[in-house]
Amino acid sequence: MLKRSETGAFLRSSAKRQLMLDETLHRRLLAHFENELSLWDADEQSHLMMIATFSIAPSGLAVIEEIALMVVAENWVPYDSLYEKRLVDALAKVRARSVKGLRYSLPANKPSAVAMLQTGNNPVGLYIVPLSAEDGYEDALNEMISTRPDIDAWIWRIADGEMPRLPLNS
């Protein structure tokens, strides 16, 4: 639970220990992880994961030095947008093996498979083209897909509307 104080913010860990954030780190956290915090706030079933390093101050308080956040679905699978959340939820309901990809430091304007689905002879790369896709995004996506003819492709272009049916019989 994130709670503000006059000198910064406190996080309550699952061990019921308060972890202190100084004001500067708290501001950076809110700015850098705005997307994760918004997604977490929008869905009560989602969880907000935190990884941090901390030290113990002379006062005995645990002070966070560095922190990162990740939002995960009810089934603990990470997602970066409401569209990915819909895909993650749909994949959780099917009886097919899938692997969720993570972007790590890859910028959002570069295409990447959101997940891989294995239902037939060939795996299927699952791609979401965001509304914010700029010129060249589709070309980069098509080039990436063409370099792996052994992997089929499923594409959800958000601008085209609802999520297409998953390719469960490929």
Side-chain angles (χ1 to χ4, degrees):
M1 167 189 271
L2 188 61
K3 186 169 84 174
R4 296 210 17 99
S5 78
E6 290 181 25
T7 59
F10 286 92
L11 295 171
R12 186 168 305 277
S13 72
S14 60
K16 304 278 192 241
R17 175 154 188 136
Q18 289 189 345
L19 304 171
M20 190 179 122
L21 282 169
D22 69 30
E23 187 62 35
T24 303
L25 185 56
H26 183 247
R27 278 194 309 270
R28 284 193 351 229
L29 173 80
L30 294 177
H32 187 77
F33 294 101
E34 180 181 8
N35 185 58
E36 288 80 1
L37 291 165
S38 296
L39 289 169
W40 175 57
D41 192 42
D43 181 23
E44 285 190 24
Q45 281 18 352
S46 292
H47 310 282
L48 188 64
M49 303 290 295
M50 175 189 80
I51 186 168
T53 59
F54 65 94
S55 60
I56 304 296
S59 64
L61 290 172
V63 180
I64 294 177
E65 305 291 336
E66 296 180 64
I67 188 169
L69 302 176
M70 178 175 64
V71 67
V72 296
E74 183 178 12
N75 59 3
W76 302 97
V77 176
Y79 65 94
D80 294 327
S81 71
L82 290 177
Y83 306 108
E84 276 193 25
K85 172 81 167 54
R86 288 191 56 205
L87 179 58
V88 164
D89 289 346
L91 289 170
K93 293 176 184 173
V94 299
R95 293 179 149 255
R97 186 172 154 233
S98 62
V99 177
K100 171 71 173 79
L102 298 175
R103 294 191 77 78
Y104 294 107
S105 60
L106 185 64
N109 64 351
K110 301 288 183 201
S112 171
V114 173
M116 297 293 287
L117 179 64
Q118 185 69 51
T119 62
N121 293 332
N122 289 342
V124 181
L126 307 176
Y127 303 92
I128 298 176
V129 178
L131 289 172
S132 62
E134 298 174 355
D135 292 340
Y137 188 96
E138 286 275 354
D139 292 337
L141 176 61
N142 290 333
E143 181 179 335
M144 184 175 60
I145 291 169
S146 70
T147 63
R148 295 297 307 263
D150 55 322
I151 300 176
D152 295 334
W154 172 94
I155 303 172
W156 178 14
R157 290 175 180 82
I158 301 304
D160 291 347
E162 289 300 311
M163 183 173 77
R165 290 184 65 147
L166 290 174
L168 299 176
N169 297 323
S170 62

